[in-house]
């Protein structure tokens, strides 16, 4: 288990992180805005491929200015991206980016949806994307999103006509949206969905275009825009004290793991959308032209609209509770509406407004953040009516109990009531974990069979309490999830979700264990109790040509949350081999093989992820020279730990520590991924690194993005980064200089060392370099010209400058043997003479 914390966060984002952790409350201005939105029965669905693809300016404008119900459908959860704030990649990164999207929607007022598509990394063409994704299943998910959300208007972020000119995921998202628009109303398509929803036909589909689509503002200005609508999204919201663009910037800044923290913007700004499908618009910029988005839209809605429009027109900012008689009357009328969709949507909105107007506070806090099935948990319920309105608590019902508890108590104004309830977590309770990770995924798809879960941003909470109330005589049920509320002296009041966990979990210290020879290693297993008094034993599942001793280890843990560490001796074979090592905890004859991963960052709620506890074990045939490595960290990666696994002494060098006297003792210095994009101090320290090379040092620079390089002299000679990349992890690698020392010492590198790579060969390769550089490798994706900038070496003074865009940061956690062997050669550059002298 590892706990990960964000050390540095934008101060402005921290304001909103508080709302990510604690229950939402509303001030008078927010209640008024909710009433305005209640009176609009129109919906907009924004469609793109990844977290951070969405145009928060337009989403915020549609939600806060137009007051439409607005949602963002991100086809993926962004698992294939990079992480600037920590070491999580792949599935765990997808969990973080999901929560960052939800944080963004809390700011801009939108809702969030997903498909089952797995972000497998950069794709150069939508045809490749749709081959790796299951096109039919992803299209089904887009149709499902349309049928569930029922948008009047769909807006695509990307252009379906640009195949091969941008990320294949981007173009695929637009193509699928176009196709789904045409079939969502066809009952013969994905007919099984209609057991839970009904067909729907959106009115129009747009493409959110801009000058960058056409190369320059000048070209865009000359364009015929007769088929486009435009909006000034720079409008100011007095009730918020912010402009729309400031709201949008705050929303976008929630994407911290992708480096999207940015300054807010103000002033007028035009957004354009191009009509692609549906009914033309005759005049103006009304995306809902021809659609009645008032309460008159639904049968029986006129009377409700009359009441609620009066509330909006005469809103009492000093005492919103004065509107409760009208709001309750509208609520009662709404319950007889035949239109199930709008009844559900508007009932939820109206209940939230009624709750806010009363200042009603309902909270259910557990005495522990986690509990295992069959465990007892104490709940503290706080019930408070902060208005003068007559409210009775009739009863409450816990989701874990068959029947409710009758109370029939009047909630006197501002008189808090507390109830304690003991519950037992049912044995058949599902563990709290992202539902899309419950079963093994493919490269392109998450495996989710439950149609009701598909598209949801997160797993519904399993333990909650329904409070049955009479508000001024009107029955109202408000449901609250169980949370864990606590405090810390240096942070104050804090909230965490309440989680259901296994009675025991087990974890290994590393994702990969590298054996550089046939010597045995002691491997520690950490067993954590999910309840009191856990007794049993641990054994290992391991590859058949390996050995593990002892066969079993006893565990006996008295208290929930405590851990017990046990040591197993693992003996590798004599030959190169790889496989999986899995701790198996036996409790009363049942095996538990999962680990619990906790993700704790300030800007998103605490996340508990349950995943199979397995580590890759690799017996390598590897040689190396030198032992002391200095590492300058960039964006989060596990390269230092991976190098320690093969016997190097790795010292983390802080930017302020970069000086001639601190560099001399290292056999090599490695600069982490994207360090030159994010570490400001390298502007001043680069000269020391280049001097280190000149004096005989060995410097390895890992990839940086081509935009935002902070130094002018990335290398001692001319070196130009590009966006060149090889996304096919199985692309043929050609060795350009087979006799070069780096490919021969101390390990002989051949094409077999590029077997088993994951996600990609590499990214952001240089495409221009001075004659002093020697390119060693070449590869390319299908149909493209050769990319020769993956690994460049130059002699500078007495030392070696090496630049590589190869994705070692992905290969090391996957335990790819050839990646370790090649990197050992990079670290050993220039030491062939020393080795000869030793011998």
């Amino acid at each position: 288990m590892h706990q990960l914390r964000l050390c540095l966060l934008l101060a402005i984002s921290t304001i909103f992180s508080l709302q990510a952790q604690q229950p939402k409350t509303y001030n008078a201005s927010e209640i008024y805005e909710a009433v305005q939105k209640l009176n609009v029965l129109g919906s907009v669905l924004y469609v793109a491929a990844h977290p951070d693809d969405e145009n928060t300016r337009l989403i915020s404008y549609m939600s806060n200015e137009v007051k439409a119900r607005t949602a963002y459908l991100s086809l993926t959860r962004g698992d294939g991206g990079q992480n600037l704030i920590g070491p999580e990649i792949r599935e765990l990164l997808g969990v973080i980016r999901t929560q960052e999207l939800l944080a963004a929607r809390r700011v801009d007022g939108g809702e969030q949806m997903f498909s089952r598509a797995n972000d497998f990394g950069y794709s150069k063409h939508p045809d490749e994307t749709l081959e790796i994704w299951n096109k039919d299943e992803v299209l089904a998910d887009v149709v499902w999103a349309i049928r569930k959300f029922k948008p009047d208007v769909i807006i695509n972020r990307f252009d379906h006509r640009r195949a091969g000119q941008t990320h294949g995921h981007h173009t695929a998202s637009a193509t699928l949206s176009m196709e789904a628009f045409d079939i969502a109303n066809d009952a013969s398509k994905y007919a099984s969905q209609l057991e839970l929803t009904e067909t729907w036909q959106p009115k129009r589909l747009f493409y959110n275009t801009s000058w960058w689509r056409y190369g320059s503002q000048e070209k865009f200005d000359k364009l015929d825009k007769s088929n486009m609508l435009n909006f000034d999204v720079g409008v100011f919201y007095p009730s918020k004290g912010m402009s729309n663009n400031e709201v949008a910037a705050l929303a976008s800044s929630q994407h911290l793991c992708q480096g999207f923290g940015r300054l807010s913007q103000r002033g007028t700004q035009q957004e354009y959308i191009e009509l692609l499908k549906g009914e033309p618009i005759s005049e103006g910029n009304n995306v809902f032209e021809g659609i009645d988005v008032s309460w008159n839209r639904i049968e029986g809605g006129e009377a409700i609209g009359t009441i609620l429009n009066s509330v909006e027109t005469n809103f009492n900012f000093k005492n919103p509770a004065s509107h409760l008689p009208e709001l309750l009357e509208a609520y009662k009328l709404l319950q007889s509406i035949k239109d199930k969709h709008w009844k559900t949507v508007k009932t939820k909105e109206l209940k939230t407004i009624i709750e806010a107007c009363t200042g009603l506070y309902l909270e259910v806090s557990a005495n522990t953040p986690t509990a295992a099935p069959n465990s007892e948990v104490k709940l503290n319920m706080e019930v408070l009516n902060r208005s003068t309105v007559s409210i009775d608590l009739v009863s409450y019902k816990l989701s874990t109990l068959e029947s409710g508890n009758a109370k029939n108590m009047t909630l006197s104004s501002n008189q808090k009531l507390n109830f304690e309830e003991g519950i037992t977590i049912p044995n058949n309770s599902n563990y709290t974990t992202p539902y899309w990770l419950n079963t093994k995924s493919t490269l392109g798809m998450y495996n989710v069979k439950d149609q009701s879960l598909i598209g949801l941003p997160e797993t519904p909470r399993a333990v909650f309490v329904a409070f049955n109330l009479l508000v001024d005589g009107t029955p109202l049920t408000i449901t609250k999830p169980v949370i864990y509320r606590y405090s810390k002296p240096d942070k104050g009041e804090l909230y965490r979700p309440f989680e259901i966990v296994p009675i025991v979990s087990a974890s290994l210290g590393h994702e990969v264990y590298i054996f550089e020879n046939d010597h045995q290693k002691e491997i520690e297993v950490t067993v954590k109790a999910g309840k009191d008094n856990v007794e049993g034993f641990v054994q290992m599942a391991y590859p058949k040509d390996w050995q593990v001793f002892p066969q079993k280890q006893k565990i006996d843990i008295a208290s929930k949350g405590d851990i017990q560490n046990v040591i197993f001796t693992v003996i590798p074979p004599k030959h190169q081999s790889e496989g999986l090592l899995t701790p198996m905890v036996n409790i009363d004859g049942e095996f538990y093989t999962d680990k619990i991963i906790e993700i704790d960052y300030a800007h998103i709620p605490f996340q508990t992820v349950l995943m199979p506890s397995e580590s890759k074990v690799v017996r390598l045939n590897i040689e190396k020279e030198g032992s002391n490595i200095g590492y300058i960290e960039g964006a989060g990666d596990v390269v230092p730990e991976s190098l320690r696994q093969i016997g190097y002494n790795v010292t983390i060098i802080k930017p302020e520590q970069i000086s001639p006297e601190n560099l001399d003792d290292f056999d090599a210095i490695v600069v982490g991924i994207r360090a030159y994009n994010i570490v400001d101090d390298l502007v001043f320290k680069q000269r020391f690194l280049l001097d280190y090379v000149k004096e005989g040092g060995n410097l390895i620079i890992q990839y940086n993005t081509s935009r935002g390089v902070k130094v002018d002299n990335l290398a001692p000679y001319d070196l130009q980064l590009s966006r060149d990349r090889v996304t096919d992890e199985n692309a043929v690698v050609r060795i350009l200089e087979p006799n070069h020392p780096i490919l021969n010492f101390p390990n002989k590198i051949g094409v077999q060392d590029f077997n088993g790579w994951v996600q990609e060969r590499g990214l952001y390769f240089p495409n221009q370099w001075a004659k002093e550089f020697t390119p060693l490798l070449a590869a390319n994706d299908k149909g493209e010209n050769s990319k020769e900038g993956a690994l460049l070496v130059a002699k500078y003074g007495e030392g070696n400058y090496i630049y590589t865009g190869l994705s070692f940061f992905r290969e090391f956690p996957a335990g790819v043997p050839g990646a370790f062997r090649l990197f050992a050669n990079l670290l050993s550059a220039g030491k062939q003479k020393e080795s000869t002298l030793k011998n």
Side-chain angles (χ1 to χ4, degrees):
M1 184 187 306
H2 56 278
Q3 190 170 7
L4 308 159
R5 298 184 180 277
L6 178 65
C7 297
L8 187 61
L9 188 64
L10 294 175
I12 200 162
S13 181
T14 303
I15 297 171
F16 287 89
S17 76
L18 296 176
Q19 294 184 3
Q21 309 295 329
Q22 63 189 38
K24 169 69 177 171
T25 57
Y26 294 81
N27 59 39
S29 292
E30 290 169 326
I31 296 172
Y32 174 65
E33 290 172 352
V35 171
Q36 289 181 304
K37 202 160 187 174
L38 184 65
N39 282 326
V40 176
L41 279 71
S43 303
V44 176
L45 180 65
Y46 199 87
V47 180
H50 310 107
D52 73 38
D53 280 346
E54 81 273 28
N55 183 346
T56 54
R57 295 184 301 272
L58 196 51
I59 290 176
S60 178
Y61 180 84
M62 290 296 172
S63 178
N64 295 302
E65 176 65 14
V66 179
K67 305 297 182 185
R69 183 177 180 227
T70 307
Y72 173 41
L73 172 59
S74 176
L75 294 194
T76 77
R77 297 176 185 267
D79 322 71
Q82 286 83 49
N83 185 0
L84 293 184
I85 62 174
E88 303 93 343
I89 57 176
R90 291 304 306 151
E91 296 92 347
L92 296 180
L93 178 59
V95 173
I96 293 173
R97 298 189 74 183
T98 293
Q99 291 299 322
E100 288 184 337
L101 274 175
L102 289 170
R105 299 295 81 79
R106 283 190 288 271
V107 176
D108 61 31
E111 300 176 36
Q112 187 60 51
M113 306 172 77
F114 292 95
S115 83
R116 288 170 291 175
N118 192 346
D119 179 3
F120 56 85
Y122 192 85
S123 174
K124 293 182 177 178
H125 199 281
D127 289 349
E128 179 203 34
T129 298
L130 295 175
E131 284 178 8
I132 297 175
W133 290 350
N134 183 319
K135 180 188 175 182
D136 186 65
E137 289 187 356
V138 182
L139 177 60
D141 292 355
V142 180
V143 169
W144 171 247
I146 293 172
R147 289 173 173 175
K148 274 187 65 181
F149 189 74
K150 293 180 169 47
D152 299 302
V153 172
I154 297 174
I155 302 175
N156 289 346
R157 179 55 167 154
F158 300 107
D159 190 347
H160 66 288
R161 299 159 294 197
R162 299 196 70 202
Q165 301 177 56
T166 182
H167 197 322
H169 296 183
H170 293 169
T171 312
S173 72
T175 301
L176 292 168
S177 176
M178 294 278 286
E179 192 171 340
F181 180 91
D182 292 335
I183 65 174
N185 201 34
D186 185 344
S188 69
K189 305 293 186 182
Y190 308 113
S192 63
Q193 294 180 1
L194 302 181
E195 297 174 10
L196 299 173
T197 186
E198 53 277 322
T199 60
W200 181 253
Q201 182 56 61
K203 193 83 165 182
R204 299 182 178 93
L205 187 147
F206 296 91
Y207 159 51
N208 183 194
T209 189
S210 181
W211 65 264
W212 45 259
R213 163 65 177 81
Y214 299 91
S216 70
Q217 185 68 52
E218 182 181 3
K219 290 180 181 178
F220 187 66
D221 290 341
K222 295 177 180 178
L223 201 67
D224 177 9
K225 300 184 182 65
S226 58
N227 200 36
M228 296 183 188
L229 307 185
N230 68 291
F231 317 97
D232 182 359
V233 296
V235 293
F236 178 68
Y237 302 129
S239 61
K240 297 180 183 295
M242 290 188 291
S243 68
N244 184 74
N245 282 347
E246 289 173 293
V247 174
L250 285 172
S252 181
S253 289
Q254 303 307 305
H255 297 297
L256 292 178
C257 72
Q258 299 302 291
F260 268 57
R262 61 190 178 93
L263 294 173
S264 57
Q265 298 175 337
R266 287 159 287 278
T268 184
Q269 183 172 353
Q270 296 295 316
E271 282 287 343
Y272 291 84
I273 57 175
E274 175 189 356
L275 181 64
L276 300 177
K277 286 179 180 284
E279 296 185 13
I281 293 176
S282 58
E283 60 183 0
N285 287 308
N286 181 11
V287 296
F288 295 114
E289 182 181 301
I291 307 170
D292 189 346
V293 296
S294 73
W295 279 99
N296 294 332
R297 176 173 190 163
I298 57 176
E299 182 183 347
E302 183 178 1
I304 300 171
T306 299
I307 295 170
L308 295 178
N309 281 311
S310 174
V311 172
E312 179 181 344
T313 302
N314 304 294
F315 190 77
N316 186 340
F317 285 89
K318 288 186 176 180
N319 183 22
S322 67
H323 296 295
L324 277 168
E326 299 156 281
L327 294 171
L328 291 168
E329 181 62 26
Y331 177 81
K332 286 184 282 188
L333 290 173
L334 182 56
Q335 302 320 298
S336 61
I337 290 294
K338 294 179 181 178
D339 188 313
K340 293 181 180 179
H341 171 70
W342 284 114
K343 177 183 176 180
T344 301
V345 170
K346 293 304 177 181
T347 294
K348 180 180 178 182
E349 292 180 17
L350 191 47
K351 283 169 70 172
T352 299
I353 292 169
I354 292 170
E355 182 182 358
C357 284
T358 63
L360 190 62
Y361 193 84
L362 303 170
E363 181 182 274
V364 186
S365 178
N367 66 330
T368 176
T370 64
N374 205 33
S375 296
E376 293 184 358
V377 177
K378 290 183 180 179
L379 302 180
N380 179 61
M381 285 173 262
E382 182 177 333
V383 181
L384 176 62
N385 171 19
R386 291 179 284 191
S387 72
T388 58
V389 175
S390 171
I391 302 179
D392 294 331
L393 174 62
V394 179
S395 64
Y396 59 76
K397 183 180 182 304
L398 286 83
S399 60
T400 59
L401 301 178
E402 289 290 331
S403 58
N405 290 346
K407 288 298 177 184
N408 297 312
M409 302 176 67
T410 297
L411 303 182
S412 302
S413 179
N414 215 30
Q415 298 298 309
K416 182 176 66 171
L417 296 178
N418 286 97
F419 306 102
E420 286 193 355
E421 193 77 51
I423 64 169
T424 300
I425 303 300
N427 259 331
N428 61 351
S429 296
N430 292 325
Y431 301 135
T432 304
T433 192
Y435 69 86
W436 61 96
L437 300 179
N438 279 336
T439 55
K440 190 174 180 61
S441 63
T442 66
L443 175 63
M445 295 296 296
Y446 282 115
N447 185 12
V448 182
K449 298 303 182 185
D450 186 343
Q451 185 66 53
S452 66
L453 289 175
I454 292 173
L456 296 182
E458 54 187 344
T459 306
R461 292 290 158 183
V463 187
F464 51 87
V465 176
F467 293 91
N468 300 310
L469 308 163
L470 279 177
V471 180
D472 210 9
T474 301
L476 205 68
T477 297
I478 297 176
T479 301
K480 297 292 182 181
V482 174
I483 51 87
Y484 174 63
R485 180 165 64 102
Y486 62 110
S487 66
K488 288 187 175 182
D490 59 335
K491 296 184 184 298
E493 185 177 64
L494 297 170
Y495 286 81
R496 269 184 58 174
F498 173 72
E499 319 275 18
I500 299 176
V501 299
I503 63 173
V504 69
S505 60
S507 60
L508 297 163
H510 305 287
E511 296 293 320
V512 176
Y513 288 92
I514 304 295
F515 291 73
E516 59 178 310
N517 50 43
D518 61 359
H519 296 171
Q520 67 187 38
K521 284 190 177 183
E522 306 296 304
I523 291 183
E524 184 176 75
V525 177
T526 299
V527 181
K528 184 175 182 179
K531 67 171 191 176
D532 293 340
N533 301 316
V534 171
E535 292 185 44
F537 63 86
V538 188
Q539 64 187 72
M540 285 283 201
Y542 53 91
K544 63 180 181 180
D545 51 349
W546 294 61
Q547 297 180 66
V548 174
F549 297 102
Q551 289 298 308
K552 296 179 180 180
Q553 300 253 41
K554 181 176 172 56
I555 59 163
D556 186 354
I557 307 176
S559 300
K560 170 188 169 183
D562 278 356
I563 63 172
Q564 181 177 335
N565 294 318
V566 295
I567 304 293
F568 287 89
T569 299
V570 178
I571 304 172
K574 299 290 184 181
H575 54 85
Q576 185 157 312
S577 172
E578 55 188 273
L580 293 176
L581 196 66
T582 299
M584 305 168 64
V585 186
N586 188 306
I587 307 294
D588 297 327
E590 183 173 352
F591 280 103
Y592 295 84
T593 59
D594 287 331
K595 62 182 175 181
I596 294 175
I597 300 169
E598 296 176 345
I599 301 176
D600 189 6
Y601 290 105
H603 65 305
I604 60 174
F606 190 97
Q607 296 295 298
T608 298
V609 184
L610 197 65
M611 297 187 73
S613 183
E614 57 184 27
S615 294
K616 189 172 183 179
V617 286
V618 180
R619 162 69 169 96
L620 271 181
N621 289 324
I622 188 171
E623 301 289 341
K624 62 184 191 298
E625 288 293 330
S627 58
N628 294 318
I629 307 300
Y631 198 91
I632 299 168
E633 293 179 305
D637 66 52
V638 295
V639 171
E641 185 55 43
S642 299
L643 297 180
R644 293 186 183 108
Q645 285 262 9
I646 56 174
Y648 286 105
N649 299 317
V650 182
T651 301
I652 302 299
I653 304 174
K654 300 296 183 184
E656 62 271 17
Q657 296 172 331
I658 300 174
S659 64
E661 56 272 19
N662 287 339
L663 303 181
D664 283 346
D665 292 336
F666 293 110
D667 294 301
I669 292 173
V670 182
V671 181
I673 60 175
R674 297 178 72 170
Y676 288 96
N677 299 128
I678 67 170
V679 181
D680 292 331
D681 283 0
L682 287 179
V683 173
F684 314 107
K685 301 294 186 177
Q686 178 70 347
R687 62 189 180 97
F688 297 130
L689 294 175
L690 296 182
D691 285 346
Y692 164 79
V693 180
K694 194 173 184 179
E695 296 300 319
N698 191 14
L699 179 66
I700 297 110
I701 310 292
Q702 296 179 88
Y703 98 93
N704 293 269
T705 60
S706 54
R707 288 182 295 182
V709 176
K710 295 183 178 294
V711 298
D712 295 328
N713 57 334
L714 184 61
Y717 312 110
D718 182 51
L719 182 70
Q720 301 298 318
L721 303 184
S722 72
R723 298 183 66 82
D724 285 353
R725 61 204 303 164
V726 178
T727 62
D728 182 358
E729 63 270 32
N730 297 311
V732 174
V733 175
R734 296 175 295 281
I735 296 178
L736 301 176
E737 298 287 339
N739 296 321
H740 195 283
I742 280 184
L743 298 178
N744 290 275
F745 177 81
N747 303 288
K748 176 69 175 177
I749 302 298
V751 293
Q752 73 280 356
D753 287 295
F754 296 93
N755 294 336
W757 283 51
V758 298
Q759 187 159 325
E760 62 202 352
R761 289 298 188 195
L763 61 171
Y764 292 100
F765 298 157
N767 63 351
Q768 296 180 48
W769 51 82
K771 60 180 177 58
E772 286 83 0
F773 282 103
T774 300
L776 300 183
L777 304 173
N780 57 272
D781 286 319
K782 185 178 179 181
E784 294 191 352
N785 61 350
S786 179
K787 306 292 190 291
E788 300 184 353
L791 180 57
L792 300 171
V793 182
K795 195 74 177 175
Y796 179 58
E798 299 299 317
N800 295 279
Y801 177 97
I802 300 171
Y803 188 93
T804 179
L806 293 171
S807 57
F808 290 104
F809 73 103
R810 294 197 188 281
E811 312 317 316
F812 287 167
V816 178
F820 282 95
R821 284 164 46 83
L822 177 55
F823 209 88
N825 281 21
L826 302 185
L827 297 172
S828 304
K831 293 184 169 52
Q832 195 165 11
K833 289 182 180 179
E834 298 174 23
S835 178
T836 302
L837 289 173
K838 288 178 188 176
N839 294 333

